[in-house]
Amino acid sequence: MERPSRQRQRSQETEQEADESVDCPECGSDNIVTDADQGELVCDDCGLVIDERQIDRGPEWRAFNHSERQSKSRVGAPITETMHDRGLTTTIDWKDKDAYGRSLSSEKRSQMHRLRKWQERIRTKDAGERNLQFALSEIDRMASALGVPRSVREVASVIYRRALNEDLIRGRSIEGVATAALYAACRQEGIPRSLDEVAEVSRVPQKEIGRTYRYISQELGLELKPVDPKQFVPRFASALELSEEVQAKATEIIDVSAEQGLLSGKSPTGFAAAAIYAASLLCNEKKTQREVADVAQVTEVTIRNRYQEQIEAMGFR
């Protein structure tokens, strides 16, 4: 009988040499468990203690939840592409406190200030790394303003690094390539952000962003599908405080219109805005064209034109 106080971990015995299996010398069973509390290797069938006083290779501290494990962990953050050095260099904290939380003396504070200053200087060894650091910080700033997830920032950083390795940045602004990489990452990850929205948080004109985006996507062979207007529907409807019924109707309108070929060559944001406007009328949750246009960042004329096409496609007059 296994005592209830013991916490046994059922696992393959990795303390032995590779590919060597451990069998019970008494009954020949290979059902061997490790009792971590007692440091013993025990046969689970007959109860024979095969080995004792094993070395515990786990941590010497105990943790009972995720936050405790994180606070006692001795490993650093994972490697990230969003930093020019991938987060592998040393960072000196700005708290001016020692390991026990006590404030440093004035002499030590000035010494730490000098160390931090030189640490920041030596993190970038040349102009190329400084430019990369600036580009990645721009991507991070714009991604924060757009509210996109961390995965998009990682993908954008990888795209920018690829463009840098292929020497595609020569003759173009760093901000322009960084913005184009972020827009491409949003497209690749299926995050609905229009070119107008990306241009709003960028420091370069929209025309330059579009031109740079087309260039790097072609040169790097990025496989980017056309933007689906349905991706914009939940966000626009939420901003307009519309119900789920309106969202479902707008999605239906887009599907029917797309089947008839009306989507080709049209702006996805304008198409989604018109579908939401039409759906709000059909579901008696009317919103004005100006309200929808402000949320979708398109003109009222665009909404009117797409609205007429979609209503005809749905068979309404």
Side-chain angles (χ1 to χ4, degrees), residues 8-237:
R8 297 174 184 251
Q9 294 180 336
R10 188 176 300 272
S11 64
Q12 295 294 330
E13 179 54 33
T14 56
E15 305 297 333
Q16 306 294 327
E17 294 181 359
D19 300 327
E20 183 182 340
S21 61
V22 179
D23 295 331
C24 176
E26 185 71 25
C27 64
S29 171
D30 61 352
N31 194 10
I32 309 300
V33 296
T34 302
D35 187 347
D37 288 343
Q38 305 296 328
E40 296 174 347
L41 202 62
V42 184
C43 174
D44 205 34
D45 290 342
C46 68
L48 179 71
V49 177
I50 301 170
D51 193 10
E52 58 184 349
R53 295 185 181 180
Q54 286 191 311
I55 298 173
D56 183 6
R57 302 185 186 278
E60 76 283 1
W61 42 259
R62 293 192 302 170
F64 301 99
N65 56 45
H66 179 71
S67 60
E68 286 187 13
R69 280 193 293 272
Q70 289 294 98
S71 64
K72 293 181 178 180
S73 175
R74 296 190 183 92
V75 297
I79 294 175
T80 174
E81 298 290 340
T82 58
M83 299 177 70
H84 74 284
D85 53 12
R86 292 182 168 86
L88 296 175
T89 56
T90 304
T91 303
I92 302 176
D93 200 4
W94 289 87
K95 292 181 180 179
D96 285 332
K97 291 184 178 180
D98 62 11
Y100 299 99
R102 296 186 295 240
S103 297
L104 300 177
S105 63
S106 58
E107 183 182 352
K108 283 288 184 183
R109 280 201 299 271
S110 60
Q111 181 184 3
M112 294 304 295
H113 178 72
R114 288 194 300 273
L115 283 172
R116 283 193 208 98
K117 184 166 64 176
W118 280 105
Q119 172 67 16
E120 287 298 316
R121 287 177 180 175
I122 64 174
R123 284 185 70 184
T124 52
K125 61 184 179 183
D126 53 26
E129 282 200 0
R130 282 195 295 273
N131 291 340
L132 178 60
Q133 185 181 31
F134 171 69
L136 296 179
S137 65
E138 276 293 289
I139 290 174
D140 197 55
R141 179 189 66 80
M142 292 184 290
S144 297
L146 289 170
V148 297
R150 185 78 186 174
S151 60
V152 175
R153 306 180 193 199
E154 292 282 349
V155 172
S157 302
V158 170
I159 291 173
Y160 184 87
R161 287 175 186 273
R162 286 183 59 193
L164 184 63
N165 293 336
E166 297 287 336
D167 201 24
L168 303 181
I169 301 177
R170 189 181 300 276
R172 291 171 176 79
S173 69
I174 295 173
E175 295 97 327
V177 179
T179 309
L182 180 60
Y183 179 63
C186 289
R187 292 277 301 270
Q188 213 168 47
E189 293 294 295
I191 304 297
R193 293 295 183 272
S194 65
L195 193 59
D196 293 330
E197 291 176 293
V198 175
E200 268 194 2
V201 300
S202 177
R203 297 187 177 123
V204 293
Q206 181 177 332
K207 186 178 289 186
E208 183 183 342
I209 297 171
R211 186 167 57 241
T212 308
Y213 161 72
R214 287 190 294 271
Y215 174 70
I216 65 171
S217 62
Q218 181 181 358
E219 291 296 320
L220 296 178
L222 302 178
E223 296 181 0
L224 302 171
K225 298 178 181 178
V227 179
D228 189 354
K230 289 186 288 186
Q231 292 180 337
F232 293 95
V233 170
R235 186 156 59 93
F236 292 168

